[in-house]
Amino acid sequence: MMRRRFLKTACCSALTAALALGATACGGDPVGTASGGEKALSGQTLTVAGVWSGTEQKNFQKVLDAFTEQTGAKTRFVSTGDNVSTVVGSKIEGGNAPDVVMVPQVGVLQQFAKNKWLAPLSKSAEKTVDANFAPVWKGYGSVDGTLYGLYFKAANKSTVWYDPAALDTAGVKPPKTYDEMLTAARTVADSGVPAFAVAGEDGWTLTDWFENVYLSQAGPQKYDQLAKHEIPWTDPTVVEALRTLARLFSDDKLLAGGRKGALATDFPGSVEKVFGPKQEAGMVYEGDFVAGVAKDEFGRKIGEDADFFPFPAVGGGEAPVVSGGDAAVVLKDGRNQKAAMALLEFLATPEAAAVWAAEGGFISPNKALDLGAYGDATLRATAKSLVDAGDTVRFDMSDQAPAAFGGTKGAGEWKILQDFLRDPSKPEATAAALEAAAAKAYGSANQG
């Protein structure tokens, strides 16, 4: 607790200094203190919308409170639930648009820009992005060369979490390659506990499995082409990645409950199978947010009785780093453009990221953030992996796709990969089904 209080104090001091040095809003006025000591945005109220609720919302509110303390602008957070596009669209139509939206998908950001809902970021914010973020993040926040989105919160989705006792019992160490991981998985299974809990009931987890294998095996260039549907899903690289996944998915011995059990397991259930009171698996693949569930729900000490290794390299490729994230955007129809842009300028600073980093459950793509701001060594390691990846990091492919293909329960990529988990024996047929669904979804999106 003392460390967290110190970090908060240090953060506020650094923030005060940064704003005093002249961070500016879009109109060129100081963000911090106006002449005579009055806070520049006093009396203004800013509405911020995003998907977060519970602990995430409380921690983000601390970031907003730091902004209020320095500028005088009050904030009001509105939780949208998962369907950000529909909720924000209805608010715009009703004349009640929020000022800032935290957008969780590249595809949604692009949709907002296409609808002409967004204001470009100020020159000040763009300058800070250029200084503090790898160019790839600016690319994901831009549409047709214009920067609209600032990636404030990220996730490292290339982490495999495990119970150290399970690996110790089997006499195996964290693997460096996909082949080594399969060998270790068989050894763990032979020791008496299935190797992996796979959350097949949630189709999004299966897209994450595919994306890590594909990025490592096919490489970043092919990944980018497939994400934009510039190559078809019947491309040989897709079939090869599905075959690689099938080496795990086809072996019921390696999966908790076999394929049938995996298809009946959701994401929280997969974490419970590894870290819950009744251990049913030794490992679970998913992003760094696994740590929060293991810690908060099952009392595990991260780095001690719950740990991770990076998703291993496949074939001769590099180890993948797949990310997700939330981008802050300013709506044109919001009532307070000046304060909204000032908030984005603040969110681009390492001082803003440090507020949430100290609380946990958060990593930032901001390379100017001191890794010491993170509350534990495991978070520091996942954040370092993300930042060190630089321009080789790739955003979650399904989040870049039209929602009809990459983000709809019971349809598109989610359903097809669930069918593949059910029967992994026909990767060519799965690739053909993926291409048919992708062609339809991308075609509709382009027409819209």
Side-chain angles (χ1 to χ4, degrees), residues 225 305 311 431:
Q225 291 174 332
D305 55 4
F311 197 100

Side-chain angles (χ1 to χ4, degrees), residues 126 138 142-148:
E126 185 166 4
K138 185 176 182 180
S142 300
V143 179
D144 295 331
T146 299
L147 180 60
Y148 294 104

Side-chain angles (χ1 to χ4, degrees), residues 115-129:
N115 291 345
K116 302 188 184 304
W117 291 351
L118 304 182
L121 265 63
S122 68
K123 295 298 182 184
S124 176
E126 185 166 4
K127 183 178 179 180
T128 308
V129 169

